[in-house]
Structures are given as structure tokens and as C-alpha cells.
Amino acid sequence: MDLVVGRVAKAHGVTGEVVVEIRTDDPDTRFAPGTILRGRAKAGPDRSYTVDSAREHGGRLLVRLDGVADRNAAESLKGTLFVVDSEDLPPIEEPDEYYDHQLEGLQVRTTAGEQVGTVAEVLHTAAGELLSVRTDDGEVLVPFVSAIVTSVSLADQIIEIDPPDGLLDLG
């Protein structure tokens, strides 16, 4: 299974750097100089890119890729997804840590048994991780913290939450 670790948002400057939206909890490893990334453009086959450099910039990364030397080349990468194979990921040793792809698609319900929805995506923000939960009425963002997320069962495909008042209100 392919997992998205980043997405090219736009070109940055005139020397070929790209702004990458981070979709991994380990950007230092995934975008380390010398790392080979598989890029998936909207049209065309996957292509390999070697990271020359990466630096943090406003919650995103500025990445320089080997062979992308000017703004036009960088701009042509807009929308490209950088993917890795889930088989290449090391096992997680911590019992309460998960890869994003393990949580996506799980059913979310309250501790009282009320169905909330399905995890559509895990969002990594400066304030911490949020579960984007698709409901019948739209989307709810649930902070992925132990005070709210009381249990995660990969075997049962269920995340149980104890939401504070107002968290699940969409209106």
C-alpha cells in the first residue's frame, strides 16, 4: 500500500525549491538529504526524486530536489504526491502510537456507543494531531489526545472517544 508523506504545494523562489505540505510524522527522515522519494503526478507515471536539501518553513518544508533547478521545473511539480510503500515502514514499538494509514478508515464512536463517523484523514498541526472524521452531516475534527480518544482497536477497526461538550456539534 502506498502512503503519502508529502504533497508539493507550489514553487518557492527561482532556484527550484518546492513547498511541501508534510503528511508524515517523521519529516526529518522522509526528506533527509540523499533520500529517494517516489513522486506521483496527476498525469503520467511515478518518478523518483533525490532530496538535495530540506528546511522547515512555516509548518511546511522547502525541499530542493536533484535535477529541479529552476522555477519552471519546480512549478511543474505542483500537486505531486510523494509516496512510500507501507511495507518499507519500520514497526512501531510504542503501544499508543500509530501510522496515519492505520487510523484512516476506522469507525469512530463515543464511549456511550453513539456512531460518529469514519476517520478520513489524520491532520498534523502545530497544536498536535487531529482526526478528520467524516460524518453524515460533514466533518468533525477530533484532537488525537488521550483525554478525548479513550481507545483505539486496530483489530476491531474502532476508535472510541469521550468528546467534551460541543465537540461534535456541526451547526
Side-chain angles (χ1 to χ4, degrees):
M1 169 197 273
D2 286 337
L3 304 176
V4 176
V5 296
R7 180 184 151 300
V8 177
K10 61 183 180 177
H12 180 79
V14 296
T15 61
E17 273 187 313
V18 292
V19 176
V20 175
E21 295 171 347
I22 302 166
R23 303 271 178 91
T24 175
D25 58 356
D26 192 10
D28 293 341
T29 300
R30 297 274 165 240
F31 294 94
T35 301
I36 297 173
L37 298 170
R38 191 160 35 106
R40 176 169 295 154
K42 289 179 180 154
D46 287 4
R47 183 176 158 208
S48 293
Y49 297 93
T50 302
V51 176
D52 279 345
S53 66
R55 58 191 170 103
E56 199 275 328
H57 179 74
R60 296 178 173 179
L61 287 178
L62 296 181
V63 179
R64 186 174 308 283
L65 302 167
D66 187 39
V68 179
D70 61 36
R71 184 171 185 89
N72 288 341
E75 198 60 48
S76 73
L77 296 178
K78 184 177 179 178
T80 296
L81 299 176
F82 292 122
V83 298
V84 297
D85 191 324
S86 62
E87 300 298 316
D88 295 338
L89 298 174
I92 294 177
E93 303 298 327
E94 297 295 319
D96 292 334
E97 289 190 17
Y98 306 93
Y99 285 118
D100 292 356
H101 74 279
Q102 292 176 302
L103 301 174
E104 292 167 357
L106 296 187
Q107 295 299 306
V108 178
R109 70 177 180 210
T110 66
T111 52
E114 176 189 344
Q115 292 298 326
V116 177
T118 305
V119 176
E121 183 178 7
V122 179
L123 305 172
H124 299 271
T125 70
E129 282 76 35
L130 296 170
L131 299 176
S132 170
V133 180
R134 191 177 310 113
T135 69
D136 291 338
D137 299 320
E139 174 190 56
V140 174
L141 297 177
V142 176
F144 193 53
V145 295
S146 60
I148 297 173
V149 177
T150 59
S151 71
V152 175
S153 173
L154 297 179
D156 295 332
Q157 299 283 292
I158 292 174
I159 295 176
E160 221 171 52
I161 64 171
D162 185 9
D165 289 344
L167 181 70
L168 302 179
D169 297 343
L170 294 170

